[in-house]
Amino acid sequence: MTMTADPIVRDAPPPTRDLYLALEQEFGARNYKPFDVVLSRGLGVWVWDVDGKRYLDCLSAYSAVNQGHCHPRILAALTEQASRLAITSRAFMNDQLPLFYKELCAATRSHRVLPMNSGAEAVESAIKVVRKWGYAVKGVPTDRAEVIVCANNFHGRTLTIVGFSTDPTARDGFGPFTPGFRIVPFGDATALEAAITPNTVAFLVEPIQGEAGVILPPRGYFKAVRKICTRHNIILILDEIQTGLGRTGRLLAEEHEGIEADLTLIGKALSGGFYPVSAVLSTDEILGVLKPGEHGSTFGGNPLACAVARAALKVLLEEGMIENAEAMGARFQAGLRGIDSPAIKEVRGRGLMMAIELHPEAGGARRYCEALRRRGVLCKDTHDHTIRVSPPLVITGSEVDWAVEQFETALTRPEAA
Ligand SMILES: *Cc1c(COP(=O)(O)O)cnc(C)c1O
């Protein structure tokens, strides 16, 4: 490794925004293209940059911070646990993991929990589990298990996961990929049923396709999917890493559809915005196929993670955040739909998981996001013409109304904004 001189000289003036930009440019891998805002503080729905300018966070770290930045009760659980015991490995038990299991099972009506760290790890773990279930329980011949997934899915960034992505940016140049996946269109139950073979073990799907641009399923789709999976003895895996934990106005988005998954994945907001925690939730029959030594993670289920996740779940349930997401989502969406701008093609969403799709002639979503940023609202463009809007679930009515005003100005007069 070649070393270069430390660019922050001792006794130099404190770093400025431009220095942070330069350092990121010079030393970071270039796998992100962030807005050039440098944040240094957050509280609730608000974040501040290094120059002290305040912004309403309408991305919420892709829903990792549903409870709001630096929530005091989660922060207290984090610091208390960190000062007592942070990691043991799973070679020994700890006094947080069993309580985390019990509380999470009670909240989600699950039998068992497999704790992991990132969302992608939870997805990978689920794929291992359903393959094992296919061989051990369903009787699929060795190494023939198939998992069906949807076009335009987003389930993470590991090799197996990008291997079944349909997004060329995520896939191209990273092969060869893991075999055993079939892709069907999202929202088409007939296509799902047609893709099933005797070797199919699971259908992996997002209740709402988040990264694809907040794509809602057609009415009745998931009811049909549920029936098909039951009829063919296939595990229905719902990836609720983004839709789960209150984002859509329900604890799990499956509740909107009136169905229950066989296996549910959560992550992101299980962290309370502090410390990565993910989980695979399922039944005795399915998670029971894993035997000691067959799967694991050094950090999975560590006491610090569990204490944080327990507090993250507790505040979500006790502080009315899920109900607030439903009420504020309705108010926010009504406000956005009321904006009279030729740029807007559609406003869609469920709860506080929202998106504004612009007409292609509007010149791309990025410039509107830049205009919003100048007005103190942080939003992310996706797929060129869509602006995602997903503030923390603790947003108030007056904050929603203020945000809608900023959207109105940015979407009607982006250059002036
Ligand atoms: C973010 C996300 C993931 C991946 O989570 P990471 O923690 O980034 O690995 C998986 N599935 C969905 C639906 C997501 O939104």
Side-chain angles (χ1 to χ4, degrees):
M1 191 161 76
T2 50
M3 299 296 293
T4 47
D6 182 355
I8 303 177
V9 181
R10 210 188 301 266
D11 299 329
T16 62
R17 175 177 157 280
D18 289 341
L19 179 58
Y20 290 117
L21 294 179
L23 291 176
E24 181 138 344
Q25 274 298 318
E26 185 173 354
F27 297 112
R30 294 176 189 272
N31 57 325
Y32 278 93
K33 187 172 173 284
F35 287 89
D36 56 3
V37 53
V38 183
L39 302 173
S40 61
R41 193 158 70 86
L43 191 64
V45 298
W46 300 100
V47 289
W48 286 262
D49 71 12
V50 289
D51 299 316
K53 183 171 161 67
R54 187 179 83 154
Y55 305 88
L56 181 72
D57 181 358
C58 278
L59 184 63
S60 303
Y62 300 93
S63 292
V65 63
N66 283 358
Q67 297 88 343
H69 292 274
C70 297
H71 190 290
R73 287 173 72 193
I74 311 173
L75 176 62
L78 172 88
T79 54
E80 196 278 326
Q81 186 63 41
S83 65
R84 224 154 41 82
L85 180 67
I87 185 159
T88 54
S89 89
R90 297 290 306 282
F92 312 110
M93 287 175 55
N94 69 69
D95 66 359
Q96 291 298 309
L97 181 57
L99 302 177
F100 169 63
Y101 284 156
K102 179 167 178 272
E103 290 159 11
L104 192 53
C105 283
T108 61
R109 295 187 311 276
S110 310
H111 300 170
R112 290 188 183 277
V113 180
L114 170 64
M116 297 299 286
N117 309 285
S118 70
E121 278 181 312
V123 174
E124 288 271 345
S125 303
I127 293 167
K128 286 178 71 175
V129 167
V130 298
R131 282 181 167 189
K132 193 87 198 291
W133 174 88
Y135 305 128
V137 179
K138 188 169 176 174
V140 171
T142 306
D143 291 348
R144 302 292 289 277
E146 287 173 4
V147 174
I148 302 175
V149 300
C150 284
N152 303 316
N153 69 71
F154 182 84
H155 298 290
R157 298 294 198 166
T158 62
L159 276 176
T160 290
I161 295 171
V162 300
F164 58 74
S165 170
T166 55
D167 175 1
T169 312
R171 254 179 88 83
D172 289 359
F174 299 114
F177 298 118
T178 312
F181 297 92
R182 281 176 183 243
I183 300 170
V184 298
F186 179 70
D188 184 343
T190 309
L192 168 65
E193 192 153 32
I196 292 170
T197 75
N199 296 336
T200 306
V201 294
F203 177 45
L204 166 63
V205 61
E206 300 156 82
I208 296 169
Q209 290 191 315
E211 297 307 296
V214 187
I215 309 298
L216 295 149
R219 194 177 294 278
Y221 172 62
F222 276 102
K223 274 247 160 49
V225 164
R226 178 64 276 180
K227 282 202 188 111
I228 291 166
C229 289
T230 303
R231 184 154 65 232
H232 295 272
N233 194 21
I234 289 167
I235 296 171
L236 173 58
I237 308 174
L238 286 185
D239 180 347
E240 296 241 22
I241 291 167
Q242 190 164 147
T243 53
L245 302 177
R247 174 54 57 192
T248 68
R250 297 286 186 278
L251 181 67
L252 296 174
E254 69 174 15
E255 296 167 44
H256 291 287
E257 310 292 344
I259 61 153
E260 280 193 68
D262 302 304
L263 189 154
T264 299
L265 305 172
I266 56 174
K268 293 204 164 109
L270 194 55
S271 70
F274 282 100
Y275 184 99
V277 192
S278 64
V280 179
L281 312 171
S282 192
T283 59
D284 253 334
E285 177 190 300
I286 296 168
L287 269 181
V289 301
L290 285 183
K291 299 291 180 286
E294 292 178 348
H295 190 58
S297 160
T298 304
F299 279 87
N302 75 71
L304 183 59
C306 293
V308 167
R310 290 178 65 204
L313 195 60
K314 210 175 164 94
V315 303
L316 202 64
L317 297 170
E318 287 182 2
E319 297 184 8
M321 292 183 193
I322 303 171
E323 298 76 11
N324 194 58
E326 182 169 40
M328 292 303 123
R331 185 167 177 154
F332 213 139
Q333 286 183 47
L336 293 175
R337 289 202 175 93
I339 296 173
D340 182 17
S341 160
I344 301 177
K345 183 175 168 198
E346 185 187 36
V347 173
R348 57 176 176 258
R350 199 161 270 165
L352 283 171
M353 185 169 183
M354 305 173 287
I356 305 168
E357 187 173 329
L358 306 176
H359 287 291
E361 310 81 62
R366 187 93 178 181
R367 70 187 260 258
Y368 296 94
C369 291
E370 293 285 4
L372 282 161
R373 185 187 58 153
R374 289 192 293 275
R375 300 196 64 78
V377 177
L378 292 181
C379 273
K380 172 80 173 73
D381 54 308
T382 186
H383 298 287
D384 299 338
H385 304 298
T386 303
I387 307 173
R388 318 147 55 114
V389 187
S390 52
L393 312 187
V394 294
I395 195 166
T396 64
S398 55
E399 287 163 345
V400 168
D401 298 344
W402 177 83
V404 169
E405 281 172 36
Q406 312 317 311
F407 276 95
E408 174 140 41
T409 308
L411 285 160
T412 51
R413 289 174 288 129
E415 312 315 333

